[in-house]
Amino acid sequence: MLALEGVSYTYRSHEGDVTALKPLDLTIEDGTFLGIIGHTGSGKSTLLQLMCGLLSPSSGRVVVDGENIADKRVRNRLHLKIGMAFQYPEYQLFAPTVAEDIAFGPRNAGLSATEVDKRVRLAMERLRLGYERFAHASPFELSGGEKRRAALAGVIATDPKLLILDEPTAGLDPAGRSELLGIIEEFNRSGMTLVMVSHSMDDIARLANRVLVLKDGAAVMQGTPTEVFGRGDFLRSINLGVPQATEFAAELRAQGFPLPEGLLTLETLASAIAHELESGSVSRGI
């Protein structure tokens, strides 16, 4: 479990102090998939760096499994519990082969050669990178989607309990995006705790079971996707949107089509429309 207790962060500079994150209380239970939304400058990246110990809070404390990460010994163990992938993690590829790149984290953690090899193979399998095809390939000669998956395999190879993702599908084509989101969903189903920042309300609605909304460095809403996206007027007032399915359902309701609230995905919307049509409660010509 990861908990932030009154955590804030202020950047110091010669031009003056800037508060990037106002005091925040947040608990992420094991197995949670937390989606974080907010505009550029809302504090999302600062929050992610505080979670994984790259930044130390100006106030409050970050606690991982009951231990305060202000303790250097706890911080030194964080890389075994928390994995983080920044936007465009493929920019951090550096080794001559994919396998060597993925092996860096486990090897640096002092694992045996046998265990490192096991971790590399498992990570490649989970990221759908066939070992025979990709292990000895140069990471710099892969496609964009393959590079992204190879970089994430390097994070996964340390076997983190919590995976933090900052816009993981940025820059990917539709096929690569769909494949990566499917893999991320599998991670969470296997029990891994996920924190993901995304500008896609549809992705957050489909994958997350908790949502945090940030505005100007403050948490302005927390809740389930149904609770958060059910407040469409508020989200629009801070220039955020709602999932396409939620928007379309609201438009249909305004035309008299009796749809339930809480429709977050196109699949659930289609099912609800089909149910109403089959029940005969509305005309197919509406």
Side-chain angles (χ1 to χ4, degrees), residues 201-202 205-206 225-226 229-230 243-246 262-266 268-269:
M201 303 300 115
D202 294 279
R206 182 169 73 86
T226 299
F229 293 121
Q244 293 180 49
T246 305
L263 298 172
L264 302 179
T265 67
L266 294 176
T268 56
L269 174 60

Side-chain angles (χ1 to χ4, degrees), residues 5 8 24 32 38-39 56 65 72 75 82 87 99 117 124 127 133 149 172 176 186 210 218 243 246 253:
E5 302 171 353
S8 70
L24 170 66
T32 297
H39 280 297
S56 297
D65 292 337
K72 185 177 180 180
R75 238 181 4 260
I82 300 177
Q87 274 194 54
D117 182 67
M124 293 183 70
L127 270 296
R133 177 182 173 188
R149 285 184 280 128
L172 295 181
E186 288 173 5
R210 299 290 299 176
T246 305
R253 283 190 213 98

Side-chain angles (χ1 to χ4, degrees), residues 143-165:
S143 70
E146 290 166 349
K147 285 181 181 178
R148 181 71 51 87
R149 285 184 280 128
L152 285 175
V155 178
I156 292 300
T158 61
D159 194 26
K161 290 179 59 180
L162 168 63
L163 177 62
I164 298 174
L165 302 167

Side-chain angles (χ1 to χ4, degrees), residues 18 28 62 93 121 165 181 194 208 210-211 254 285:
V18 177
I28 305 173
V62 180
L93 295 171
R121 290 173 182 271
L165 302 167
L181 287 174
L194 271 291
R210 299 290 299 176
V211 180

Side-chain angles (χ1 to χ4, degrees), residues 117-156:
D117 182 67
K118 177 182 174 182
R119 295 283 188 93
V120 169
R121 290 173 182 271
L122 179 58
M124 293 183 70
E125 179 183 337
R126 297 184 77 179
L127 270 296
R128 298 175 190 167
L129 294 165
Y131 187 85
E132 295 303 321
R133 177 182 173 188
F134 291 102
H136 303 294
S138 166
F140 309 108
E141 295 177 359
L142 304 182
S143 70
E146 290 166 349
K147 285 181 181 178
R148 181 71 51 87
R149 285 184 280 128
L152 285 175
V155 178
I156 292 300

Side-chain angles (χ1 to χ4, degrees), residues 37-280:
I37 59 176
H39 280 297
T40 300
S42 62
K44 302 187 301 297
S45 294
T46 299
L47 175 57
L48 298 189
Q49 292 179 69
L50 286 162
M51 286 181 177
C52 65
L54 291 178
L55 293 176
S56 297
S58 301
S59 68
R61 63 180 198 152
V62 180
V63 178
V64 178
D65 292 337
E67 297 183 294
N68 188 346
I69 68 171
D71 185 324
K72 185 177 180 180
R73 291 169 299 177
V74 175
R75 238 181 4 260
N76 288 341
R77 296 197 303 270
L78 270 186
H79 68 282
L80 298 177
K81 292 187 175 184
I82 300 177
M84 179 168 178
F86 294 95
Q87 274 194 54
Y88 306 108
E90 60 270 25
Y91 292 169
Q92 299 170 41
L93 295 171
F94 65 93
T97 69
V98 171
E100 281 295 311
D101 209 290
I102 297 171
F104 178 79
R107 188 174 290 138
N108 202 44
L111 300 180
S112 68
T114 300
E115 181 63 21
V116 169
D117 182 67
K118 177 182 174 182
R119 295 283 188 93
V120 169
R121 290 173 182 271
L122 179 58
M124 293 183 70
E125 179 183 337
R126 297 184 77 179
L127 270 296
R128 298 175 190 167
L129 294 165
Y131 187 85
E132 295 303 321
R133 177 182 173 188
F134 291 102
H136 303 294
S138 166
F140 309 108
E141 295 177 359
L142 304 182
S143 70
E146 290 166 349
K147 285 181 181 178
R148 181 71 51 87
R149 285 184 280 128
L152 285 175
V155 178
I156 292 300
T158 61
D159 194 26
K161 290 179 59 180
L162 168 63
L163 177 62
I164 298 174
L165 302 167
D166 190 358
E167 292 285 355
T169 62
L172 295 181
D173 61 28
R177 184 175 174 278
S178 177
E179 183 171 31
L180 185 56
L181 287 174
I183 292 169
I184 290 169
E185 188 171 18
E186 288 173 5
F187 289 161
N188 187 235
R189 285 178 176 171
S190 72
M192 187 182 293
T193 306
L194 271 291
V195 174
M196 184 174 83
V197 165
S198 178
H199 284 98
S200 170
M201 303 300 115
D202 294 279
D203 292 346
I204 294 294
R206 182 169 73 86
L207 298 174
N209 50 42
R210 299 290 299 176
V211 180
L212 171 68
V213 185
L214 295 178
K215 180 180 185 296
D216 298 330
V220 293
M221 202 185 334
Q222 296 184 46
T224 66
T226 299
E227 291 168 341
V228 170
F229 293 121
R231 297 184 60 191
D233 289 343
F234 173 76
L235 291 173
R236 282 184 281 270
S237 76
I238 60 173
N239 297 314
L240 291 174
V242 296
Q244 293 180 49
T246 305
E247 190 74 44
F248 189 34
E251 293 174 3
L252 287 175
R253 283 190 213 98
Q255 297 299 316
F257 201 110
L259 288 172
E261 298 290 339
L263 298 172
L264 302 179
T265 67
L266 294 176
E267 290 79 9
T268 56
L269 174 60
S271 178
I273 291 173
H275 174 76
E276 294 299 332
L277 291 173
E278 290 169 3
S279 69

